[in-house]
Amino acid sequence: MGTVLAIADDNTAIIQRVPMNRHVDWSKFTIVRRDGSEATVNFTTVLGCGPALVLNGKIDVAPGDEGFRQAKIFNAVQRMGVGITANGELMLVHSKKGVTFGKFADVMKGLGCEDAMNLDAGASLYMYYRGKTVVAAGRRLTNILEVSVDK
């Protein structure tokens, strides 16, 4: 899996690198909250992608350790990522210019993300916001991450 974005029914969200080729029970998952307290959470949405960009407030980019091997993905390309700020806000970020994983990690950290991960790049990008396509996909996509805002 590499890195995952996991979201619970109460909107608790984490970004975490996970061990390769190991089963993780996301229905009874213990997390350590920012205040140091522990909680058992039932994550109902788990999106695996990666690599991780920022973990625990520090830039932490290790795509090879997460199983990413194709040379072309290491190039500077447009990217889409997701981050979580210190106060728990979810941030979706698209780079208009091509960036490497390392540069994208710098951007996500600079935007205030305590945890962040790459979602995808190139022709696999698509972003729709407030009734408009912001980034059009260059190919047919098989899955999406939908975020609804109550306002």
Side-chain angles (χ1 to χ4, degrees), residues 1-2 20 62-70 73-74:
M1 257 195 244
M20 293 190 59
D65 292 350
E66 294 186 32
F68 294 97
R69 304 274 186 263
Q70 289 183 315
I73 70 166
F74 293 89

Side-chain angles (χ1 to χ4, degrees), residues 56-100:
N56 300 313
K58 295 186 171 97
I59 291 176
D60 188 344
V61 182
D65 292 350
E66 294 186 32
F68 294 97
R69 304 274 186 263
Q70 289 183 315
K72 70 179 183 177
I73 70 166
F74 293 89
N75 294 334
V77 297
Q78 286 189 24
R79 298 189 183 279
M80 185 86 61
V82 61
I84 302 172
T85 65
N87 61 357
E89 293 177 321
L90 191 69
M91 185 180 295
L92 294 170
V93 178
H94 166 251
S95 70
K96 286 186 177 183
K97 293 185 178 182
V99 292
T100 62

Side-chain angles (χ1 to χ4, degrees), residues 39-53:
T40 300
V41 180
N42 176 25
F43 289 110
T44 54
T45 300
V46 180
L47 174 66
C49 204
L53 302 170

Side-chain angles (χ1 to χ4, degrees), residues 1 3-7 45-49 82 117 119 143-145:
M1 257 195 244
T3 299
V4 300
L5 166 66
I7 303 171
T45 300
V46 180
L47 174 66
C49 204
V82 61
M117 67 185 262
L119 288 176
N143 55 51
I144 65 167
L145 169 62

